[in-house]
Amino acid sequence: IPRKASSALFIYPNPNVGQFTVSYYNASGSNTKQSVTIYDSKGAKVYYKQFTFSGFYGLLDVDMGNQPKGLYIVVIGDANGKRLIEGKVLIPK
């Protein structure tokens, strides 16, 4: 079975010490605005950044070294705030 480019969200390294990279496949390859929003395990928003994709893969370095240890939900959204994909990242205790 032929495989398409992955539309998965990659978060690495994972677990980490609060500094990690988020990578997401942009199927259109065109310039599009998207956002990364990160929520803690209680659902509180702890990080938000808008960025522009300029190609098929977007890489965004995230620094959450000032956040407490725990499990976080990373959400990629489009320019209108629609949730596209989400993943988890662990900052171990």
Side-chain angles (χ1 to χ4, degrees):
I1 298 173
R3 304 198 105 222
K4 295 179 183 175
S6 174
S7 61
L9 172 65
F10 296 98
I11 303 167
Y12 56 91
N14 192 7
N16 60 67
V17 295
Q19 296 176 331
F20 54 93
T21 300
V22 174
S23 174
Y24 178 68
Y25 178 68
N26 175 22
S28 71
S30 61
N31 287 353
T32 60
K33 286 195 179 214
Q34 295 192 344
S35 64
V36 172
T37 309
I38 302 176
Y39 300 91
D40 66 15
S41 60
K42 296 175 185 166
K45 186 190 308 186
V46 296
Y47 181 93
Y48 176 82
K49 183 169 184 176
Q50 265 200 335
F51 61 98
T52 301
F53 267 117
S54 57
F56 288 103
Y57 284 93
L59 295 174
L60 182 68
D61 292 324
V62 176
D63 184 351
M64 290 188 23
N66 60 341
Q67 294 295 324
K69 312 296 183 223
L71 184 65
Y72 292 88
I73 307 299
V74 178
V75 177
I76 303 291
D78 67 12
N80 299 319
K82 178 184 170 194
R83 186 177 292 216
L84 299 173
I85 194 167
E86 68 179 58
K88 294 178 182 172
V89 65
L90 178 64
I91 301 173
K93 296 183 186 228

